[in-house]
């Protein structure tokens, strides 16, 4: 993914209009979602960053995911809310799943859980994609971009009030 797709460019416009920021916690996609977002126009204005939490311990220790199975809706949700808080973004994304070719945790290859957290509102999706691991990753990124577009349109109106904080200041002060 050297250049942003039209979907990512469209998402970038929507995020910019909403004066929002996005942070990503990804496992299955191994940084590819962050790369796609970072390649979009003006990404430095709205993309806070990403964390590749491939090992379960990173999910547990850094993102605050409840220890246990990691190919679950709960894990995706906790990854999204964890990264939203960790990187102080208005939108947090969490993605976990099984790329394949073999099943994991009793889930077949192609099983994906993704969550989008927007300031207290969390939407979780479960998808089942076919294909080789690379195809599963491509389908996952495409689906998450579409989910983000829908959530930005639903949860972040352009006229939303944004609270800005000075570097080093604590929220609420």
């Amino acid at each position: 993914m050297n250049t942003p797709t039209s979907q990512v460019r469209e998402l970038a416009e929507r995020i910019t209009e909403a004066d929002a920021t996005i942070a990503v916690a990804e496992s299955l996609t191994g940084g590819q979602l962050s790369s796609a977002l970072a390649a979009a126009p003006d990404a430095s204005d709205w993309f806070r960053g990403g964390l590749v939490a491939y090992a379960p311990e990173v999910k547990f220790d850094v993102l605050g995911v409840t220890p246990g199975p990691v190919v679950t809706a709960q894990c995706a949700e906790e990854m999204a809310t964890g990264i939203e808080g960790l990187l102080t973004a208005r939108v947090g994304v969490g993605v976990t799943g099984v790329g394949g070719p073999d099943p994991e945790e009793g889930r077949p290859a192609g099983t994906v859980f993704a969550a989008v957290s927007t300031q207290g509102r969390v939407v979780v999706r479960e998808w089942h994609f076919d294909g080789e691991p690379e195809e599963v990753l491509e389908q996952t990124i495409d689906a998450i971009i579409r989910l983000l577009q829908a959530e930005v349109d639903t949860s972040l109106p352009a006229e939303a009030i944004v609270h800005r904080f000075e570097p080093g200041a604590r929220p609420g002060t």
Side-chain angles (χ1 to χ4, degrees):
M1 286 188 202
N2 293 334
T3 58
T5 66
S6 61
Q7 284 184 324
V8 176
R9 285 192 296 272
E10 192 174 310
L11 174 63
E13 290 173 13
R14 290 176 177 170
I15 290 291
T16 301
E17 288 171 8
D19 197 22
T21 54
I22 293 179
V24 175
E26 48 189 319
S27 179
L28 168 68
T29 49
Q32 292 184 33
L33 178 59
S34 292
S35 293
L37 296 175
D42 301 316
S44 62
D45 294 337
W46 55 267
F47 182 51
R48 298 283 294 160
L51 172 69
V52 177
Y54 211 74
E57 297 79 21
V58 175
K59 294 173 186 73
F60 307 150
D61 298 341
V62 178
L63 295 171
V65 171
T66 303
V70 294
V71 184
T72 66
Q74 178 181 339
C75 180
E77 179 176 343
E78 291 176 350
M79 289 173 71
T81 58
I83 199 69
E84 180 184 20
L86 184 66
L87 297 187
T88 59
R90 288 186 64 203
V91 179
V93 180
V95 59
T96 186
V98 183
D102 299 319
E104 290 180 36
E105 295 183 357
R107 305 272 188 181
T111 302
V112 177
F113 292 95
V116 175
S117 175
T118 310
Q119 299 175 318
R121 180 179 190 274
V122 181
V123 174
V124 181
R125 295 288 184 265
E126 177 177 357
W127 296 298
H128 298 273
F129 299 121
D130 294 322
E132 297 297 316
E134 298 80 16
E135 295 168 310
V136 170
L137 296 182
E138 288 175 14
Q139 293 171 78
T140 298
I141 292 166
D142 181 62
I144 292 171
I145 298 299
R146 284 186 276 116
L147 178 60
L148 273 167
Q149 288 173 324
E151 286 308 302
V152 167
D153 288 346
T154 301
S155 303
L156 298 173
E159 64 275 2
I161 297 172
V162 179
H163 300 282
R164 299 204 184 270
F165 303 102
E166 294 297 318
R170 293 187 346 209
T173 59

